[in-house]
Amino acid sequence: MGLSPKRSAVVVAALMLLLAGCSDDRADAKSPAPSTKPTPSAKPSTEPVPAAPKEGELPRGGRQVFPKYQLVGYVGLPGSPALGPLDKDLETKANRLETLSKAYAGGRTPQPVMELITVVANGHAGKDGKYRSRLPDAKIQNYLTVARKHRMLLLLDIQPGRADILSEVKVLEHWLKEPDVGLAFDPEWAVGPGQVPGKVFGHTTGAELDSIAGYLAGLVTQYDLPEKVFVFHQLSTRILSSEKALKQHPGVQIIKSVDGIGNRTDKESTWRKLTPTMAPGVHAGFKLFYKEDTRHGTLMTPSQVMALKPRPEFVVYE
């Protein structure tokens, strides 16, 4: 199975719209240390910026994610509706997500999640040859402001292109030190030397995922943070090798999001292939695509999704 040309074209086209506002600075270039305080929004507002959650707690209370919470999210990229609902009108989308999350509660407390594509794979090299661009801090702050207003988690999603994934994570450290900000990694878009995102499947390993989880665990300990959510997406078996090298880390809840595309039968088939290989302690997640799934049939309902075994503890819509 090859990488979907439509998905590749959509990501590349979306990025072209964002280049004016994104940075493609070298990940290893010398630059001033990032501020520990988020950059103010590019658009001045008379409304006060919502405060972070109560010290040491998650947006809706406590320090532990599971089993208290059921995570339900929207994915998005500013100005790119093809990549998920969080392209604009964030207040409206936050209200819709709040309603949707209640349909998945299943005896748990709904915890809505905004997953912002923060590092975007690119079809051309850029100045540093890394085939990725980064959203500026001002745009990230816009999303965090809305997430805090609605007591939601914010996940920063990375599509690294040719860049080193851990280096890209560390660039976001000043955000990840916040108690309500987690991380997502899309290795479908993590390619090697000589490869171009969208032309081939990207790849990662259990050891690479483990290094990211270990880094996040260090931040949790150093800054006395509540549990940090770390999601990695997987579309196909070829995207991840040596999965069992991924270990549990104190303070980090790792979620494998199964991203199969198609009708219900196809998505459940992908689920049965990818969930049995999960390393011990990893939680199951499930992605639904509003456009791509419905080209093949009816979008799966919350009750159909929650009937999957194991139970998806994070359900995300793109």
Side-chain angles (χ1 to χ4, degrees):
M1 179 176 65
L3 187 63
S4 165
K6 290 182 179 178
R7 292 194 76 197
S8 305
V10 164
V11 169
V12 172
L15 182 64
M16 302 300 285
L17 297 174
L18 288 167
L19 287 179
C22 294
S23 166
D24 58 359
D25 294 337
R26 294 181 186 274
D28 57 355
K30 267 195 168 183
S31 59
S35 167
T36 57
K37 294 183 179 180
T39 303
S41 168
K43 295 182 178 180
S45 173
T46 56
E47 293 186 12
V49 175
K54 183 179 177 181
E55 186 174 355
E57 291 197 353
L58 295 163
R60 303 196 175 191
R63 295 177 63 86
Q64 296 182 329
V65 178
F66 301 123
K68 179 178 180 179
Y69 292 110
Q70 172 67 41
L71 307 184
V72 182
Y74 278 165
V75 175
L77 180 69
S80 184
L83 295 182
L86 296 180
D87 59 316
K88 62 179 181 179
D89 299 329
L90 296 184
E91 285 290 337
T92 299
K93 303 299 175 56
N95 289 326
R96 290 178 185 171
L97 178 56
E98 183 73 55
T99 300
L100 177 64
S101 70
K102 294 174 182 176
Y104 282 97
R108 295 188 180 184
T109 301
Q111 176 58 74
V113 177
M114 299 175 70
E115 184 173 333
L116 172 63
I117 303 174
T118 307
V119 180
V120 193
N122 189 4
H124 68 271
K127 293 179 181 178
D128 62 1
K130 299 296 186 182
Y131 286 83
R132 60 89 181 90
S133 290
R134 301 172 182 149
L135 288 186
D137 276 358
K139 289 187 181 291
I140 298 173
Q141 179 63 65
N142 288 342
Y143 280 75
L144 182 56
T145 296
V146 176
R148 284 183 170 169
K149 180 178 179 181
H150 294 268
R151 299 169 64 211
M152 298 181 175
L153 282 173
L154 177 67
L155 297 185
L156 304 182
D157 184 287
I158 299 178
Q159 302 175 354
R162 289 189 192 175
D164 174 70
I165 176 59
L166 189 55
S167 297
E168 293 299 313
V169 173
K170 290 180 177 179
V171 168
L172 298 171
E173 180 173 309
H174 58 299
W175 296 106
L176 294 170
K177 285 157 55 175
E178 298 294 328
D180 48 350
V181 179
L183 185 73
F185 171 34
D186 202 340
E188 176 186 348
W189 304 99
V191 300
Q195 296 179 330
V196 177
K199 300 294 185 182
V200 296
F201 269 122
H203 180 262
T204 192
T205 65
E208 188 168 58
L209 295 175
D210 191 68
S211 70
I212 299 169
Y215 170 76
L216 293 175
L219 294 182
V220 170
T221 299
Q222 183 176 356
Y223 298 103
D224 191 26
L225 300 172
E227 286 186 334
K228 189 70 65 178
V229 173
F230 170 37
V231 176
F232 67 93
H233 294 277
Q234 187 175 358
L235 175 66
S236 163
T237 55
R238 72 181 72 181
I239 289 173
L240 173 60
S241 61
S242 303
E243 188 168 353
K244 294 299 170 64
L246 175 57
K247 307 300 182 184
Q248 297 181 60
H249 292 265
V252 180
Q253 291 291 359
I254 305 170
I255 301 171
K256 175 180 184 172
S257 175
V258 175
D259 289 10
I261 297 173
N263 58 35
R264 180 182 178 185
T265 299
D266 291 340
K267 292 177 77 73
E268 290 180 345
S269 176
T270 303
W271 180 261
R272 289 191 295 270
K273 289 178 183 177
L274 298 184
T275 52
T277 63
M278 292 191 301
V282 174
H283 301 267
F286 191 74
K287 180 179 273 192
L288 294 148
F289 296 86
Y290 278 122
K291 293 185 178 179
E292 289 159 301
D293 285 352
T294 54
R295 293 191 186 108
H296 306 279
T298 304
L299 193 69
M300 289 178 68
T301 66
S303 61
Q304 290 170 341
V305 172
M306 296 306 283
L308 294 168
K309 304 296 180 185
R311 169 184 176 147
E313 297 188 87
F314 177 39
V315 180
V316 60
Y317 288 74
E318 182 177 313

